[in-house]
Amino acid sequence: MRSLPTRRLAAVALTAAASVVALAGPAFAHVTVNPGAAAQGGYTAVDFRVPNESDTAGTVKLEVNLPLDHPLASVRTLPLPGWTATVEKAKLDKPIKVHGSDVNEAVSKITWTADAGTKIAPGQFQEFRVSLGPLPADADSMVFKTLQSYDNGDIVRWIDESKDGQPEPAHPAPVLKLTKAAGDDAHGGVTASPAAGAHGDSSDHAAAADGGKSSDSTARVLGVIGIVVGVIGTAVGVLGLRRRNSGSAS
């Protein structure tokens, strides 16, 4: 009969561990921009990471809207096999100065459409890379409202903005945090030189994006593993104490 409580405790530990993993899963299910931060005033390359959330349909189109309250003069997409990218521009109410020249229009939306036979299938994700710049120097974040279309006609609108002190919305828009540039260099941190950024082909951009992406994913995974190990360790400790108490009593 002593094995019954032991089995129950083990079951509780496994259930708790499974619950932690299940709760951690949705954090990976949103459309996100990676890395999640870049330096103000510089250029960077980011990936829009798109997981397929449907069990029966595939993602065939992605529309990313760029904020025009802080327009970006240089926006370049990296070719992605199986997908066609189109860029829409909008005329600005007020021209912006970039490297001494007036810029009267800026990219307002990027649309990736899957070619025939291509889709993000259930259980898969895809990354869409973009070079951006110069990033605004007077903002602490940029919000990219995004629409994800499935081949069954469903559209998921990732357009909700998170607010401090409130729970995360069901469909948060991807957000790029902007940080102060290192030192006096307006293109420091994860950014590249103006010439490289303007053409969107700097290897520094790719290295910075990959490094931030890896750090973000690693931190999340390690955090989940740490919680699971802690739950199991506590259960094992309780089991050991019960066994010692049972031995003493006998």
Side-chain angles (χ1 to χ4, degrees), residues 3 12 15 18 26 31 37 41 45 65-67 73 85 108 121 123 130 137 146 151-152 160 177 180-181 224 235 244:
S3 62
V12 169
T15 301
V31 173
N65 293 278
L66 281 67
S108 58
V130 183
T146 301
D151 55 10
N152 65 353
D160 299 330
K177 298 292 184 182
K180 295 293 184 182
V224 172
R244 286 197 298 270

